[in-house]
Amino acid sequence: TMGCQVYLINRSDVVLPHLDRDISKELLREMEESGVEMLYNTTVEAVDLPNDPTGRVNVRLASGELLHVDTF
């Protein structure tokens, strides 16, 4: 992730269901070890862009969680 916070937002608890289960589990393990934060069983409800181009983007999830991110 090169020092950046990265989120993977997935609407179910299965990521890449078309892949072999072992391959999918290994890929997810590698991503988590690299610092990717997995957010399962949720979707993006809204994206609020900042008025200032240097501001952060607010991403509201269906779970109610609010993420403050640099890019979306």
Side-chain angles (χ1 to χ4, degrees):
T1 61
M2 300 178 69
C4 297
Q5 177 64 49
V6 177
Y7 298 97
L8 175 69
I9 301 166
N10 197 60
R11 71 174 30 174
S12 73
D13 59 352
V14 178
V15 177
L16 303 170
H18 59 282
L19 287 181
D20 176 82
R21 193 172 203 59
D22 291 333
I23 293 172
S24 178
K25 284 173 66 175
E26 180 62 22
L27 176 62
L28 292 174
R29 187 183 68 74
E30 291 286 332
M31 290 172 69
E32 288 175 338
E33 285 181 4
S34 295
V36 176
E37 184 174 340
M38 309 293 185
L39 303 170
Y40 297 104
N41 298 311
T42 193
T43 57
V44 174
E45 288 279 311
V47 177
D48 298 317
L49 301 176
N51 294 329
D52 176 350
T54 62
R56 300 191 82 183
V57 177
N58 294 319
V59 179
R60 188 167 17 97
L61 304 179
S63 64
E65 187 173 358
L66 183 64
L67 306 176
H68 306 286
V69 299
D70 295 318
T71 61
F72 181 79

